[in-house]
Amino acid sequence: MNNQLPANSEYQSNTNLITEMSLQDYITILRIHLNKIVIIILFGIGYALYYTYTVPPTFHATATVMVREKPGANMIMDFGGNRNIDRMVNEIQLIKSRVLAKEVVKAFWESDRRNRLNIFGTRKYFPKGWRARVLIKELFSLGLYDAGLDKANKYDEPYSDEIGSRFAGKILKGLSVKNNRSTDILEISFNSVYADEARRVADKVAETYVRMDREWGSENAIQSVDFLEKLVLAQEKSLHKAEEEIRDYKSTEKMYDLQGNAGSFSSQLTSVQTEIYNTIAEINIKNEKTEFLKSRLSREEKNLANQLLSNINIQMVSLREEIGLLESQLIQNTVTYGKDHSAVKELVLKIKALKKQLDQKVGTLISKGITVEDPLQARQEIITDLLTLDSEILGLELKKAETEKLKLIYAEKLGGLPQKQLEYARLERNLSVLNQNYSYVRQKLEEAKIQLASQAGKVQILDLARRPGAPSSPDHKRNLLMGIILGLVAGLGLAFLLEFLDNTVKTVDHIEKHQLSVLGIIPSMGEEKIKKKKKLPFPSSKQRSKSSNQGLRRRLITREDPRSPVSEAYRSLRTSMMYTSADKKVKSILISSAGPGEGKTTTVANLAITYANLGKKTLLVDTDLRRPVIHKVLEAKKDPGITNYLSGATDDFNSLIQNTLIDNLSVVTSGIIPPNPSELLGSKRMSDLVAKLESEWDMILFDSPPLVAVTDATMVSKEIDQIIIVVKVGQTDKKAFSHTINSLRNVNAPLGGVILNAVTHKNSYGSYYYYYQYYHYYGSDSDSKIV
């Protein structure tokens, strides 16, 4: 019978079809690799448990601080609110700076906890199982591992900048700072393997940050105090010197007081000189503040500030000159007429009006020079202070100039007095000026000290860190869950990867791509017995021999166990083969396979028994002339056999036929293995033999060698009614199977179909898996009828 396919082009297109797998197929794949998946999941759980109980814990402690901004021009002009965000970012970077970290290291180093902190390595953490791991390390290193390396350090040396640089990195490594959105609150957190250390370090960072902020904020006040203290000391020396000069002059000239106009002129001159000294002191103080503020500006910011100052100087000079002239006139009128005179009050009103006008003009220029888009937005307050100071300094300079003119007038009047009176008046005047100036500078010094003492800074601690009760990591439940999930994912990935890399025939889809029908599905023999019996890990030679004999006998399962699912499968195969060709009666069938060990001999032997059970006169011929096995399966003599007939050693073929223990079944063994099996099987004598046997027997079955390596079966294919290919699920290579089918079609061999052999619930999925389940269901019925 010839079941040749249509043209090769149609076949090529069909082989490219991709059949989608069903959900049941995926479930079957998972069941096949269930052991691997479970092992990998257990490994993932084991690793998660090991990691969880051996990794050092992490305790998380958090202190909170509030950063307040002092009101000023920069806040008024921050319409978009971006400055607050930038300010908080700057504060976070400041907290995470190495400068602050070194201060924290210094504070701990100089405390009594220096040798009890993990950040210094003076307090070691030993996880669970540490001693066992040390022992393992010593064993694997052949005793070279030094357990003393894990001991805690101890330091006695004083703090130095090198120590601060060495341990600052560990502070920064465990430090984290977070800003609560839309608030001025910062959360300062620290992670450590010890709960108490996490709390201590978080608190110390917050305290250091507050202290350094207070110090940075009071730099201006400190600078003023230092300058005023130096100025007071200088004034004290000048005052002592003036007092000694008056004392010496009085003692020498026998003078104790001044008389007449000298006293009045001297008093007025003293007042003017005092005003000049106070003005000079004010100018010096403001100049010192100006230099300090300029030192905090960059080059570009200084250029902008100088530009603004120049603009203001140019535009304001007329107003300031006018104010200076009026103030000079005010001093003269006050000395001449007194403070309550109407002319003096009028001048005071004019001066106030001009100063108000000057302030408005300065404000207008400042607002024009500094805008929201200005790159120096963060330093607007400093530049504003500089502009204000410059305006005040210029006014003081004008006031000083006019006051010095007035001083010259009074000095000229005193010049007409007698020399002794004049000299004494000068000395007394100097003393009085120095006294008043010393009092003024001393007052400014005290004010600066009060300002320094009351400097609070912009940072305030809200909450100190609490000692964490439980570590933030490792999370035992989460790690265990992650171990299960990762193990499951890895197991599933491995299962599907193995299926992807598996190049064996495992589904009916691959067979259908070749337009071949599946004639029968044979379950794996002895699967149930293997499950019930436990094999010894190292069987004896006697046991191995017994097992081998049982394996050969098990091939005739249709005789030994006719009620088994496998026997039912062979009977179903027989029925399928009997009705596959309705137009021609099939009498000769050749059973082969693509490769060795795929169960063709077992299949042909059991199939022959099922035909014989039907009462058909059946002949089994062993044409596997390379590795014959039929004589062992049916316990027949190997020699003589068919090779004796094909080689011409005998012409009586009937003499080669041997009866078996099974009714209606006879066998012809292979005989002596010839050197040229292909030539014998392709000879005319073989063709005539097939025709003769078909006329004498109801069914003739031929066992042949694998087709992928030899052409023995191809040589007799034209004389046979059908060629059946046995495919062992999970073993037959797809490429070998395709090559075998193409080779048979090239010689127009009568392909009848495919038998799927050794199907199990572990290696089968696809549509024929349900047939396997069917055989087990009906084959296990003890009341089933056997035919």
Side-chain angles (χ1 to χ4, degrees):
M1 178 179 178
N2 191 349
N3 293 338
Q4 187 176 357
L5 290 175
N8 287 335
S9 60
E10 183 180 353
Y11 163 71
Q12 292 288 345
S13 63
N14 288 332
T15 57
N16 293 328
L17 295 175
I18 299 177
T19 305
E20 295 184 358
M21 297 176 63
S22 65
L23 178 61
Q24 182 64 38
D25 295 336
Y26 286 108
I27 295 175
T28 305
I29 292 175
L30 298 181
R31 187 177 59 252
I32 292 172
H33 300 281
L34 181 60
N35 292 339
K36 302 182 185 68
I37 296 174
V38 171
I39 291 174
I40 294 177
I41 292 176
L42 292 177
F43 177 79
I45 294 174
Y47 178 77
L49 291 174
Y50 172 80
Y51 175 82
T52 300
Y53 288 100
T54 57
V55 70
T58 300
F59 290 92
H60 187 82
T62 302
T64 56
V65 298
M66 182 174 66
V67 183
R68 299 169 298 179
E69 185 173 13
K70 298 178 181 179
N74 49 3
M75 292 183 63
I76 297 173
M77 305 179 70
D78 183 21
F79 299 108
N82 295 325
R83 170 169 170 76
N84 184 60
I85 299 175
D86 296 338
R87 179 171 60 90
M88 300 309 293
V89 172
N90 292 337
E91 296 300 326
I92 290 174
Q93 295 301 319
L94 182 62
I95 297 173
K96 298 173 70 173
S97 65
R98 294 188 66 86
V99 174
L100 191 143
K102 290 169 69 174
E103 289 295 322
V104 174
V105 172
K106 180 180 180 181
F108 279 120
W109 193 270
E110 293 177 348
S111 68
D112 57 350
R113 301 194 62 85
R114 173 172 54 186
N115 290 316
R116 289 178 292 168
L117 289 174
N118 184 259
I119 55 175
F120 296 153
T122 55
R123 185 184 183 186
K124 291 286 187 177
Y125 175 80
F126 299 102
K128 296 179 181 179
W130 173 75
R131 295 185 181 277
R133 283 193 282 179
V134 169
L135 180 60
I136 294 174
K137 290 178 181 179
E138 291 178 347
L139 292 175
F140 278 95
S141 63
L142 301 178
L144 298 178
Y145 175 76
D146 185 9
L149 297 175
D150 295 328
K151 292 183 178 180
N153 300 324
K154 187 176 182 180
Y155 298 102
D156 296 324
E157 56 188 300
Y159 176 80
S160 63
D161 189 67
E162 187 273 333
I163 291 174
S165 300
R166 189 198 314 171
F167 296 109
K170 291 191 175 182
I171 297 291
L172 297 177
K173 183 178 180 181
L175 181 66
S176 61
V177 185
K178 183 178 70 173
N179 171 227
N180 290 339
R181 190 174 182 84
S182 302
T183 68
D184 292 335
I185 296 177
L186 294 178
E187 294 182 354
I188 302 174
S189 304
F190 191 79
N191 296 328
S192 176
V193 295
Y194 293 104
D196 60 328
E197 185 167 331
R199 177 186 62 81
R200 292 177 188 278
V201 176
D203 286 345
K204 185 60 67 175
V205 171
E207 293 169 358
T208 304
Y209 171 52
V210 172
R211 176 179 60 81
M212 293 183 69
D213 173 76
R214 185 180 295 113
E215 292 176 356
W216 292 330
S218 61
E219 283 182 355
N220 192 4
I222 293 174
Q223 190 79 10
S224 298
V225 170
D226 291 341
F227 172 74
L228 289 172
E229 285 180 344
K230 295 177 182 178
L231 191 60
V232 165
L233 291 176
Q235 289 295 100
E236 286 180 350
K237 291 181 180 179
S238 299
L239 184 60
H240 290 323
K241 184 178 179 182
E243 290 174 347
E244 290 177 358
E245 288 180 353
I246 288 180
R247 185 192 59 199
D248 294 340
Y249 187 79
K250 283 184 176 182
S251 177
T252 302
E253 301 295 334
K254 307 296 183 180
M255 293 182 67
Y256 304 100
D257 198 0
L258 294 177
Q259 300 292 329
N261 293 333
S264 175
F265 291 148
S266 179
S267 175
Q268 293 174 351
L269 188 60
T270 299
S271 177
V272 172
Q273 186 69 34
T274 301
E275 187 72 22
I276 292 174
Y277 278 143
N278 291 341
T279 303
I280 293 174
E282 283 281 356
I283 292 172
N284 291 336
I285 293 172
K286 294 184 184 299
N287 282 331
E288 187 69 20
K289 290 183 177 180
T290 300
E291 293 300 322
F292 173 75
L293 291 175
K294 285 184 177 181
S295 67
R296 299 179 64 181
L297 298 176
S298 63
R299 180 182 301 176
E300 292 77 8
E301 293 167 341
K302 288 179 181 178
N303 293 336
L304 176 59
N306 292 332
Q307 182 180 357
L308 293 174
L309 293 176
S310 298
N311 292 337
I312 291 175
N313 287 337
I314 293 172
Q315 299 180 33
M316 300 294 101
V317 64
S318 60
L319 286 174
R320 287 170 177 164
E321 287 180 354
E322 186 176 355
I323 292 173
L325 291 174
L326 291 176
E327 287 181 342
S328 175
Q329 188 177 353
L330 176 64
I331 295 173
Q332 294 180 11
N333 290 343
T334 301
V335 173
T336 304
Y337 305 111
K339 295 182 179 181
D340 298 328
H341 196 272
S342 60
V344 174
K345 292 181 179 180
E346 184 179 353
L347 284 175
V348 169
L349 294 176
K350 287 183 179 181
I351 292 173
K352 286 183 178 180
L354 288 175
K355 285 185 176 181
K356 183 177 181 181
Q357 183 180 355
L358 178 62
D359 291 338
Q360 292 176 350
K361 189 65 176 177
V362 170
T364 302
L365 292 176
I366 291 174
S367 63
K368 290 182 179 179
I370 306 174
T371 62
V372 177
E373 291 80 16
D374 197 286
L376 304 178
Q377 183 179 6
R379 300 300 180 93
Q380 289 177 357
E381 185 176 350
I382 296 177
I383 296 178
T384 302
D385 291 342
L386 281 173
L387 298 178
T388 304
L389 287 172
D390 183 76
S391 176
E392 293 175 354
I393 291 172
L394 186 56
L396 291 172
E397 290 285 355
L398 293 174
K399 180 180 178 181
K400 173 189 170 187
E402 295 301 324
T403 308
E404 286 181 344
K405 292 179 182 178
L406 188 61
K407 172 187 172 183
L408 293 176
I409 295 174
Y410 287 115
E412 184 178 352
K413 291 182 178 180
L414 281 173
L417 298 175
Q419 185 64 31
K420 287 184 179 183
Q421 288 182 337
L422 183 63
E423 182 66 19
Y424 182 79
R426 183 185 66 79
L427 294 175
E428 193 175 58
R429 183 178 67 251
N430 288 340
L431 178 60
S432 177
V433 168
L434 288 174
N435 272 322
Q436 294 182 26
N437 186 251
Y438 175 77
S439 299
Y440 178 79
V441 175
R442 188 76 186 187
Q443 179 184 354
K444 292 293 183 181
L445 174 61
E446 296 302 324
E447 291 176 358
K449 287 182 177 180
I450 293 173
Q451 182 181 0
L452 177 61
S454 61
Q455 192 73 31
K458 65 178 182 296
V459 181
Q460 177 182 355
I461 295 179
L462 296 182
D463 289 314
L464 291 175
R466 295 183 179 181
R467 189 181 188 276
S472 58
S473 68
D475 188 336
H476 295 239
K477 294 181 180 179
R478 184 180 65 86
N479 289 347
L480 184 60
L481 181 61
M482 289 299 297
I484 295 174
I485 293 175
L486 293 178
L488 179 61
V489 171
L492 295 177
L494 177 64
F496 286 104
L497 179 63
L498 292 176
E499 286 298 316
F500 176 77
L501 297 176
D502 189 354
N503 198 37
T504 61
V505 178
K506 301 186 76 172
T507 67
V508 73
D509 302 325
H510 186 76
I511 296 171
E512 291 177 348
K513 288 178 183 179
H514 293 275
Q515 294 188 344
L516 292 172
S517 59
V518 178
L519 300 175
I521 300 174
I522 311 301
S524 178
M525 287 188 179
E527 186 182 16
E528 292 78 9
K529 296 180 180 180
I530 293 174
K531 289 182 179 179
K532 294 178 181 179
K533 296 181 180 180
K534 294 183 179 179
K535 295 183 179 180
L536 293 175
F538 303 102
S540 63
S541 60
K542 183 177 180 180
Q543 289 173 327
R544 286 195 296 268
S545 176
K546 182 179 180 181
S547 176
S548 177
N549 293 333
Q550 288 177 348
L552 290 175
R553 287 198 299 270
R554 194 166 59 242
R555 293 179 177 179
L556 299 179
I557 193 168
T558 52
R559 184 187 68 178
E560 300 293 335
D561 190 4
R563 298 181 183 275
S564 68
V566 180
S567 299
E568 182 64 31
Y570 279 115
R571 287 191 288 271
S572 177
L573 172 63
R574 174 199 65 191
T575 303
S576 177
M577 293 176 63
M578 290 175 63
Y579 295 100
T580 52
S581 178
D583 57 345
K584 181 181 178 180
K585 188 176 182 179
V586 176
K587 299 192 68 176
S588 59
I589 299 175
L590 184 142
I591 307 295
S592 186
S593 62
E598 296 181 6
K600 60 178 182 56
T601 300
T602 301
T603 301
V604 72
N606 284 281
L607 190 59
I609 294 173
T610 60
Y611 276 108
N613 289 338
L614 281 178
K616 290 182 177 290
K617 187 180 179 183
T618 305
L619 178 64
L620 177 57
V621 182
D622 190 356
T623 55
D624 187 351
L625 304 182
R626 299 178 185 274
R627 297 184 64 182
V629 184
I630 289 294
H631 64 280
K632 295 182 180 179
V633 175
L634 297 176
E635 299 178 356
K637 295 181 180 179
K638 179 182 178 183
D639 186 36
I642 192 172
T643 56
N644 297 79
Y645 178 79
L646 295 178
S647 63
T650 180
D651 294 329
D652 186 7
F653 184 78
N654 293 330
S655 64
L656 303 176
I657 298 175
Q658 303 180 49
N659 295 323
T660 64
L661 298 176
I662 301 169
D663 296 337
N664 300 321
L665 178 60
S666 300
V667 64
V668 176
T669 58
S670 63
I672 299 175
I673 297 176
N676 55 345
S678 297
E679 287 76 3
L680 293 178
L681 294 175
S683 64
K684 187 176 183 301
R685 195 174 179 88
M686 181 64 185
S687 301
D688 295 339
L689 176 62
V690 173
K692 177 185 176 183
L693 293 176
E694 286 182 349
S695 63
E696 298 176 354
W697 296 81
D698 296 331
M699 183 59 65
I700 308 101
L701 299 173
F702 295 91
D703 183 21
S704 71
L707 292 170
V708 72
V710 297
T711 61
D712 297 4
T714 307
M715 300 303 294
V716 297
S717 60
K718 294 182 180 181
E719 311 301 330
I720 304 299
D721 292 339
Q722 273 190 351
I723 294 180
I724 306 299
I725 304 299
V726 177
V727 172
K728 187 173 185 179
V729 176
Q731 178 173 322
T732 300
D733 187 77
K734 292 180 180 179
K735 294 182 179 179
F737 176 74
S738 299
H739 175 74
T740 300
I741 300 302
N742 293 334
S743 299
L744 292 174
R745 282 179 172 152
N746 289 335
V747 297
N748 295 322
L751 279 170
V754 174
I755 300 172
L756 294 177
N757 187 35
V759 177
T760 68
H761 73 283
K762 291 185 177 180
N763 66 1
S764 60
Y765 59 89
S767 59
Y768 62 83
Y769 174 76
Y770 301 101
Y771 293 100
Y772 170 77
Q773 300 285 59
Y774 166 81
Y775 288 135
H776 273 266
Y777 178 77
Y778 287 100
S780 61
D781 187 359
S782 59
D783 297 330
S784 60
K785 183 177 179 181
I786 303 171
V787 178

